[in-house]
Amino acid sequence: MMMPQPRQAYAPTPHSYVPNSTLSATINLDEEVKLAETRAERDLQESLAEIFSIIVTIDELEKAFFKDAIPEAEYTEICERSLKQYRSILADETVANAFVGLEEFKAQWDLEVPRATERIRVGMPSTAVTASSGSAPAPTAAGNTSGTLILEATQDFITFLDALRLGLLAKDQLHPLLTDVIQSVNKVTDRDFENRAKIVQWLITLNQMKATQELSEDQARELELDINSAYQGFKNTLT
């Protein structure tokens, strides 16, 4: 099934042309109207147009997945890529300042995208949020999941906890590492386990922070306790 194409042709520009009657005598109607005078303005317009397109694409993707019109693996891949692009564009301070926030951007361009709004708020595909995503591999003849996948998940847990202990507290430092944890866990098991939900909740919390915003010391201690508990719960599913 072909996915809906991003509506880039209709993407907005941050500086709309407003007619001015006092200039009408000097305007040549055969001359191309320039929406941006500098390279920086053009880059900003293109970035905002890309964000517009990504938001619309995510909303259409969520609709298709809800209707079972797209395979789960394809949905997950496209959603993860779109969310990554969204975050990458907004990592630019100039773009982030012009964007302001998702609600403000939606209001400015009259966007009705409830499904995309929720997915962006959560910051990961719905298949990563729920335990029974169907992404876990089939057991081997001995009834065990691939040892390589278990090792990767274990290493991701340890890497994240080590990052906390080293004092890495910024959203842009922790969110990618915790995303690796939930993704590797989902490859090992589609079963829920004790404190798995805390991984998801912390991912949502981190996703809603600004890129350079840091957790407080109290939050960091709570996060370490929660992820340690989730790690133990994960290991218990393997016994």
Side-chain angles (χ1 to χ4, degrees):
M1 170 181 175
M2 294 184 63
M3 288 298 302
Q5 294 298 311
R7 302 190 308 184
Q8 292 183 352
Y10 299 96
T13 56
H15 305 292
S16 299
Y17 173 70
V18 179
N20 187 331
S21 59
T22 63
L23 300 177
S24 58
T26 62
I27 294 177
N28 181 354
L29 297 179
D30 293 326
E31 183 178 344
E32 180 181 357
V33 176
K34 295 183 178 180
L35 296 178
E37 294 296 331
T38 68
R39 175 63 182 271
E41 289 177 341
R42 288 194 298 273
D43 288 346
L44 177 59
Q45 291 173 6
E46 289 174 1
S47 295
L48 292 173
E50 287 175 14
I51 291 174
F52 183 98
S53 180
I54 290 170
I55 293 171
V56 172
T57 297
I58 291 175
D59 201 67
E60 294 298 326
L61 179 67
E62 292 294 315
K63 291 177 185 177
F65 184 62
F66 180 76
K67 296 176 181 177
D68 292 328
I70 181 173
E72 192 171 286
E74 186 177 350
Y75 159 80
T76 301
E77 179 185 356
I78 296 173
C79 190
E80 286 178 346
R81 183 170 66 245
S82 298
L83 290 170
K84 183 177 180 180
Q85 291 170 341
Y86 176 88
R87 288 190 291 265
S88 177
I89 295 171
L90 286 175
D92 184 286
E93 185 176 356
T94 300
V95 178
N97 289 337
F99 178 75
V100 182
L102 180 57
E103 293 303 322
E104 291 82 357
F105 190 79
K106 285 162 52 183
Q108 182 179 6
W109 302 112
D110 195 26
L111 276 171
E112 292 289 340
V113 284
R115 293 174 178 82
T117 300
E118 176 62 12
R119 190 56 46 221
I120 291 170
R121 183 190 74 83
V122 172
M124 56 187 140
S126 63
T127 48
V129 175
T130 56
S132 56
S133 66
S135 58
T140 62
N144 297 318
T145 306
S146 166
T148 300
L149 294 178
I150 294 173
L151 178 60
E152 288 177 357
T154 300
Q155 289 174 336
D156 286 336
F157 269 111
I158 294 172
T159 297
F160 181 81
L161 291 169
D162 283 347
L164 279 177
R165 291 162 187 155
L166 289 171
L168 303 183
L169 302 177
K171 177 259 185 82
D172 59 359
Q173 295 170 323
L174 296 178
H175 190 274
L177 297 178
L178 196 55
T179 298
D180 289 342
V181 171
I182 196 67
Q183 289 177 342
S184 59
V185 162
N186 286 343
K187 291 177 183 177
V188 173
T189 179
D190 57 7
R191 294 167 52 196
D192 200 1
F193 55 84
E194 188 177 3
N195 293 311
R196 180 190 183 281
K198 290 186 176 181
I199 303 176
V200 174
Q201 188 55 55
W202 275 109
L203 275 167
I204 295 173
T205 298
L206 289 168
N207 186 61
Q208 294 175 336
M209 295 168 56
K210 294 181 179 179
T212 57
Q213 185 177 350
E214 294 189 351
L215 297 173
S216 67
E217 290 185 5
D218 287 343
Q219 285 178 311
R221 283 194 292 270
E222 183 181 356
L223 174 55
E224 183 177 356
L225 287 172
D226 286 346
I227 300 306
N228 258 319
S229 298
Y231 182 33
Q232 294 302 317
F234 170 71
K235 290 194 292 185
N236 290 340
T237 66
L238 305 177
T239 58

